[in-house]
Amino acid sequence: MGGTSSTRRVTFEADENENITVVKGIRLSENVIDRMKETSPSGSKSQRYSGAYGAAVSDEELKRRVAEELALEQAKKESEHQKRLKQSKELDRERALANEQLTRAILRERISSEEDRTKAKHLVSVRLQ
């Protein structure tokens, strides 16, 4: 995606119902949560069923996949953040340029008005003579 990617160490643990939870408050997509909630058809503690991949996978494989997905989501967020930051900088430059152009236009108008006033005074003084 062009953004910088970052990785996080994720710690997993199983609760009393053998549901996998992620420690340290990392936000997961609904897809990941659904895959984590699915149970193994054999009921084995060392295997989990992943409907998204259609095969029984080990806890370690599930952890690896979840960690990869978390890293991809983080990279996507970072890329979007960089894109918004770039757009913000471009808007700031455009705003500064527009303000500069407006200031120049105001100065030109003031100069023109002052020249018109000077000409009018000169014409009045010529007619009065």
Side-chain angles (χ1 to χ4, degrees):
M1 293 202 177
T4 57
S5 64
S6 63
T7 58
R8 286 188 182 176
R9 183 172 297 274
V10 180
T11 307
F12 296 90
E13 59 184 38
D15 64 10
E16 64 276 354
N17 298 327
E18 293 298 319
N19 292 328
I20 295 176
T21 57
V22 179
V23 181
K24 296 188 179 180
I26 295 174
R27 197 174 277 169
L28 299 175
S29 70
E30 289 298 319
N31 188 10
V32 173
I33 292 171
D34 290 342
R35 283 188 285 155
M36 291 171 65
K37 286 180 180 178
E38 291 184 20
T39 59
S40 171
S42 64
S44 169
K45 290 185 179 181
S46 64
Q47 296 284 314
R48 295 278 186 246
Y49 181 79
S50 176
Y53 295 101
V57 294
S58 69
D59 285 344
E60 290 301 315
E61 179 66 12
L62 182 60
K63 290 176 186 179
R64 184 188 65 76
R65 288 179 182 172
V66 170
E68 285 176 1
E69 193 161 327
L70 286 171
L72 287 173
E73 286 181 26
Q74 184 66 27
K76 182 179 177 183
K77 286 180 184 179
E78 181 64 25
S79 175
E80 290 170 355
H81 174 72
Q82 292 296 328
K83 190 183 298 183
R84 284 192 303 271
L85 188 61
K86 182 179 178 182
Q87 289 172 342
S88 176
K89 287 179 181 180
E90 288 176 19
L91 288 174
D92 287 344
R93 280 193 298 269
E94 289 176 12
R95 189 177 297 120
L97 180 61
N99 283 337
E100 184 179 329
Q101 290 173 344
L102 181 61
T103 301
R104 287 180 183 174
I106 291 170
L107 287 174
R108 280 193 304 271
E109 186 61 34
R110 285 181 182 168
I111 290 170
S112 177
S113 295
E114 187 61 35
E115 287 173 352
D116 289 346
R117 254 188 249 120
T118 304
K119 286 178 186 176
K121 283 183 184 179
H122 179 68
L123 287 174
V124 168
S125 67
V126 169
R127 285 190 179 174
L128 290 176
Q129 291 176 356

